[in-house]
Amino acid sequence: MSADGNSWHWHEYEVGLVSEAARACVRALASFLIGLGGAFVLILGIGLLAEQDLLDDPGLEKAVDHLSRMSMGVLAAFVLAGCGAGAVGSFVRESTTSKAIAAAAARGASRYAVPSPDQVRSVTGKPAEALAFFGWANAVLAGLLGVIGLIVALAEGDESLLIFSLITGYALIMALVGYASSHLLARAHERRHTRIAAHWTSNDEEQAWIPARDGAAKKTPARPSIAKRCLYGAAALWLAGAVALQLSVLTRCAGKYACKDITYSSPVETLIAGGIWIFAILMTLGVLLAAVGVLFDWRQRRSERAELRARLADPGSDRPAEDLLTYHSRRQTHPLARVAAMMSGAGLVFSTSSYLVGNGLGLGSEDVFAPYRTESLVAMIVSAAVFAAAVLGTGIVTVRGRELRNALMERWPSPTSWTTASNGKAASPKRGPVLHGASGGKVEVGKDGASDPR
C-alpha cells in the first residue's frame, strides 16, 4: 500500500466493441476447429464403412462414398478459412487492446490500477505473429505446389496452366502478408507499448505482482468437478466406439489390398456384425454424456459466481479456493458457446458437402442429394447462425463478467496459470513484470521481486 492509502492491483480495462468481437471470434474459432476435427473423424468412419461395402446397400454405399470425398475437400477449405480468420482476429485483438490501454494511459488512468497480465501480454507481444505464420506457411505450401505444377504444365502443354498460375499468385500474396506482418504491422504496436510503459512504471507493475505472489503460498487443492468427469467419460466412449468400428472392419476383411469377407463361427459373426452398432451407440452415449457435462459445468460455474459475489460483499470473508479465483479472474468461454461453435463446424461441413453434391459438383450421386438441396441450404444457414450466436454469446459473457474479474483481482489476486504451447512454461507476462522489457522479450523475476529484463 502506498503512503496515500492506495494499493496497487491488476485491472482489466475496457477495450471496445471491435476488440471484444475479435477476441470472441478467436475463442469461437478454436471450438469451431475442434468441431471440424470431429467431422474429420466421422468422415473417416462413415467413408470406411462405405469403402469396405459394410452398409449392405450398394446405392447407399456409393452415395456415402461421394459425400465423404466431397466432405474432405470442404473440410480442408473450412480449416484454411478458420485458421486465416483466427490469425486476422488475433492481430485485431492484440492491436486494439494495446490501443485501448494506450488511450486509458493518455486519459490519466490510475497508476495503481495496473493492466492485467493478459492485457500486458497483448501490449508486449508481437500482434501479427499468428498472421505472419499463416502467411509464410501458405506461401511455402502453395508456392511449392504452384511452381511444380507450372513446370509440368509448361512442359506438357497442360490446360491446368491457369490453375497453377493462380496458385502461384496466391503464394506471392501470402508471402507479402507474411512479410508485412513480420516487419510493418508491429511498428505502431511498439510505439504504443512505449507510451504505456511510460505511464505505469516498473515499480507500479512490481507492486501489483506482490499480492499475487503472496496468494500463491495460500493455494488450496482443486475441488473435484462432476462436469470434468462427464467430459472425460464422453471422450472414453468415443474412443471405445472408434476402436469397435476399426476392429469390426479388420476382423471382417482379409487380403492385403482388398476387403474379402471371412466367415467365422456364429457368435463371432454376431459380435463382428454388432461392431457398427456398438460404434453408433457409444458415439451417441458419448454425445449425451458430454451434454450432461456441459450442463453440470454451466450450473457449477453459475453457483461459483454467486458464492464469490457473496464473499466480496463481506469484508471479513476468507480467501476463496484458489481454483475458483484462477478460473473466474480470467476471461472464459461460456460452455454452451463452446458446444455451439463445435456443432456449427461439423454442421457446415456436411450441409455444404450435401448441397454441392446435390448441385452436381461432386463425383456423382447428385440424383440422391438433389431433392435435399433446400434442406442442406437451411442447415448451412442454421450452422452459420449458431456460430454467430456463439461469438455473440462469448462477447456478452466476457463484457458482463469484467466487473467481477476486476473485483477479484483487486481483493484476491492469484498468479496466472496459463501456459504456452511451445515449451509448457508460462509466458513472461504471466510469470512476472514484463511491461518494461523489450517487446516480446523475456523477463525473470528474482527472489527480491526485482524484474530483470533481458
Side-chain angles (χ1 to χ4, degrees):
M1 182 174 292
S2 64
D4 55 6
N6 293 314
S7 59
W8 284 270
H9 58 275
W10 289 331
H11 185 81
E12 181 184 310
Y13 287 88
E14 295 185 12
V15 293
L17 178 61
V18 174
S19 184
E20 293 292 359
R23 186 179 297 272
C25 187
V26 170
R27 287 181 175 271
L29 281 170
S31 299
F32 179 83
L33 291 175
I34 294 175
L36 294 183
F40 176 73
V41 173
L42 194 57
I43 291 170
L44 288 182
I46 296 176
L48 183 64
L49 294 178
E51 184 179 351
Q52 302 297 343
D53 302 328
L54 298 178
L55 297 179
D56 299 326
D57 186 336
L60 177 61
E61 290 167 351
K62 182 180 179 180
V64 169
D65 181 65
H66 291 159
L67 180 64
S68 298
R69 293 176 186 273
M70 175 60 77
S71 298
M72 289 299 291
V74 171
L75 177 66
F78 276 122
V79 169
L80 180 63
C83 291
V88 173
S90 178
F91 167 70
V92 173
R93 175 191 63 191
E94 306 299 346
S95 59
T96 52
T97 297
S98 69
K99 287 180 182 179
I101 298 178
R107 292 193 303 267
S110 172
R111 287 180 43 237
Y112 298 104
V114 180
S116 65
D118 187 43
Q119 293 189 331
V120 167
R121 182 180 61 167
S122 295
V123 172
T124 59
K126 299 177 181 179
E129 190 171 22
L131 190 58
F133 178 81
F134 178 80
W136 287 121
N138 276 267
V140 171
L141 296 177
L144 288 175
L145 178 62
V147 170
I148 294 173
L150 279 176
I151 294 174
V152 174
L154 289 172
E156 301 182 359
D158 200 316
E159 296 179 355
S160 59
L161 179 62
L162 177 61
I163 296 176
F164 287 111
S165 298
L166 293 175
I167 293 176
T168 305
Y170 172 78
L172 293 175
I173 293 174
M174 287 294 101
L176 181 61
V177 170
Y179 177 82
S181 301
S182 303
H183 297 84
L184 302 178
L185 297 181
R187 293 176 182 174
H189 192 80
E190 291 173 356
R191 289 194 294 269
R192 291 191 293 270
H193 177 194
T194 302
R195 294 198 300 269
I196 293 169
H199 183 75
W200 284 284
T201 67
S202 57
N203 179 68
D204 295 334
E205 194 180 6
E206 175 61 31
Q207 292 295 325
W209 268 90
I210 291 176
R213 295 198 198 99
D214 294 340
K218 305 175 183 178
K219 282 191 173 181
T220 54
R223 298 185 292 185
S225 171
I226 299 177
K228 287 186 177 180
R229 295 175 184 176
C230 290
L231 295 176
Y232 291 148
L237 289 175
W238 290 332
L239 178 61
V243 171
L245 177 63
Q246 188 66 29
L247 291 177
S248 177
V249 174
L250 292 176
T251 53
R252 180 175 290 195
C253 298
K256 187 175 181 180
Y257 301 104
C259 181
K260 299 179 181 179
D261 287 343
I262 306 175
T263 302
Y264 296 94
S265 61
S266 180
V268 177
E269 284 284 351
T270 302
L271 181 62
I272 294 174
I276 299 175
W277 290 105
I278 293 174
F279 168 76
I281 292 173
L282 290 181
M283 287 294 176
T284 303
L285 290 176
V287 170
L288 293 175
L289 189 58
V292 171
V294 169
L295 291 176
F296 268 115
D297 184 63
W298 183 16
R299 182 177 180 180
Q300 174 187 340
R301 298 307 181 186
R302 185 175 60 179
S303 175
E304 290 171 355
R305 287 192 294 271
E307 176 187 345
L308 290 172
R309 289 192 176 95
R311 285 174 175 265
L312 286 169
D314 181 8
S317 61
D318 296 331
R319 182 183 179 90
E322 199 64 30
D323 61 322
L324 294 185
L325 294 176
T326 300
Y327 183 87
H328 292 283
S329 297
R330 316 287 177 251
R331 292 170 177 259
Q332 302 292 342
T333 303
H334 197 284
L336 295 182
R338 198 178 295 122
V339 171
M342 288 190 290
M343 291 178 60
S344 69
L348 278 173
V349 168
F350 291 110
S351 59
T352 304
S353 302
S354 176
Y355 182 79
L356 293 176
V357 173
N359 279 317
L361 300 177
L363 300 174
S365 298
E366 58 268 15
D367 56 329
V368 176
F369 294 95
Y372 303 101
R373 284 179 297 184
T374 301
E375 289 82 355
S376 300
L377 186 59
V378 170
M380 290 168 57
I381 295 174
V382 170
S383 297
V386 167
F387 179 79
V391 173
L392 181 62
T394 299
I396 292 174
V397 169
T398 299
V399 172
R400 291 180 61 184
R402 182 185 296 115
E403 181 180 356
L404 175 61
R405 292 192 296 272
N406 280 330
L408 293 175
M409 285 189 291
E410 182 174 2
R411 184 168 177 182
W412 297 302
S414 60
T416 53
S417 60
W418 305 299
T419 58
T420 60
S422 57
N423 56 10
K425 295 181 180 180
S428 51
K430 298 171 182 180
R431 292 203 308 266
V434 73
L435 187 58
H436 293 79
S439 181
K442 298 294 183 182
V443 170
E444 288 185 348
V445 180
K447 294 180 180 179
D448 58 353
S451 58
D452 178 26
R454 61 173 184 173

